[in-house]
Amino acid sequence: MGGSKKLFIGLLLLALAILIVFVAGVWYLNFFGFNILTQGILIIISLILSGAALILVLGIVGIHITLKKGKPIKVLYLPTKVVISYLLPIIITLGGFLGFDKEQIQSSFIQVANALIDPDKMNLKARDVLILAPHCIQRSQCEYRVTSDLDNCKRCGLCQVQGLIELKEKYGVHLAIATGGTLARKIIKESRPKAIIAVACERDLSSGMQDIYPLPVVGVVNLRPNGPCFNTGVDLNKIEEAIVKLISDD
């Protein structure tokens, strides 16, 4: 299911507007009809909420500038990280109230996060890039497991493991196929890539991109002709486009 970058950013702006209205209301209450003790508590709450609103404003500004100019601003790094790393669950809840599909919002978030990557500033070599794919991309009936050793692949062409291996060999990037989040984190920790091209569903991609931000992750949503987590696929052209984008100056 698709989703444009504008959806996630629009919901961020709506969340900001709601927060600003709420903050203004709490500040208003500080000055009308409360005793000194209650007023003091409200002032503390108002200051906390005002700080949260400021972080959200700066984070949105950071995302906007990066998307427009392709150039992240160092002073806005922290608020941008907060927005990317922590606000997606709130945005999904808000979007749900407005009738937006959860996967649509996650897809929009992935597009925003992808657009924030600036490979020109990263000076990446092919060896710095890791393609990380889920084990369900391998045909379920295959007896040759590739999660522990890619050389086990017999390149029969019945699934897209062969295509991923061929891209690995063509460009010299790394490739790993993981059985789950725990193994994926272990692979990342051991291989220490400077950028990742991750294949997964919208839910796993969006949560994983939040978990390891600011490590650059190009998210590629998988294909699910047989439903989730079973004989899935991926658009290999999108994988190749991501590789070229990351190492174009190699």
Side-chain angles (χ1 to χ4, degrees), residues 67-89:
L67 291 178
K68 286 291 184 181
K69 297 186 177 182
K71 190 175 186 179
I73 307 300
K74 288 184 179 180
V75 295
L76 297 177
Y77 165 77
L78 182 59
T80 302
K81 173 179 170 60
V82 170
V83 170
I84 292 296
S85 299
Y86 301 110
L87 286 190
L88 182 59

Side-chain angles (χ1 to χ4, degrees), residues 109-110 113-114 204-213 217-219:
F109 166 81
I110 292 165
N114 285 349
D204 290 347
L205 274 180
S206 55
S207 62
M209 294 168 90
Q210 292 176 88
D211 288 344
I212 64 175
Y213 186 88
V217 179
V218 177

